[in-house]
Amino acid sequence: MFYSLTNSAKALNWFKKYWEVFETSRNPVAKYHFALGMLKFLELLKDQKTYKMKLSSEFPLYQESGEYQVQELYQYYNSYAVDFARKLDQRNQSSYYMDMYDKVVGK
């Protein structure tokens, strides 16, 4: 998440390198933190409708053109983060993960 706050080029390289780890990880907390980092990175691109980057065809939202809808990427990672936070907070009878989400996303 740090790169998404300080260096967008490094954040993009980090995303390209680790998106597959996000998809295959069995550690939901690590996936949650990755999703939060992606949300911060994608906020940097909020003024752009699309973003061009080369990703593997294994990527769930893969586009052959390499052009990705920023809003679609945002919704993908936001959906995971919110779903995870709500489920864990409900199980733990707390608001810890939703509070963290609110701080990162600024809601």
Side-chain angles (χ1 to χ4, degrees):
M1 187 178 342
F2 178 74
Y3 287 142
S4 62
L5 299 172
T6 60
N7 187 322
S8 60
K10 283 189 178 183
L12 177 60
N13 287 333
W14 178 78
F15 167 68
K16 287 179 179 179
K17 187 174 181 179
Y18 292 107
W19 70 264
E20 200 168 349
V21 172
F22 170 82
E23 295 298 329
T24 60
S25 177
R26 294 176 55 169
N27 181 339
V29 175
K31 289 179 75 164
Y32 176 71
H33 288 286
F34 182 91
L36 291 180
M38 281 306 300
L39 293 175
K40 287 308 285 183
F41 170 66
L42 293 167
E43 279 181 15
L44 297 173
L45 307 176
K46 66 183 173 193
D47 294 334
Q48 295 178 234
K49 191 172 190 165
T50 61
Y51 192 75
K52 194 153 182 102
M53 57 187 160
K54 187 175 181 178
L55 296 174
S56 162
S57 61
E58 304 283 319
F59 184 62
L61 303 175
Y62 175 73
Q63 297 294 319
E64 192 172 323
S65 67
E67 198 162 325
Y68 294 87
Q69 300 291 321
V70 172
Q71 188 60 34
E72 188 177 344
L73 291 168
Y74 189 91
Q75 288 172 349
Y76 180 74
Y77 289 103
N78 189 62
S79 176
Y80 178 85
V82 169
D83 185 55
F84 171 82
R86 286 183 179 153
K87 285 178 181 176
L88 215 59
D89 282 349
Q90 182 179 7
R91 183 196 77 180
N92 296 341
Q93 297 181 343
S94 74
S95 63
Y96 176 79
Y97 287 98
M98 279 308 295
D99 290 346
M100 184 185 309
Y101 169 85
D102 290 340
K103 286 178 185 172
V104 170
V105 177
K107 296 194 177 199

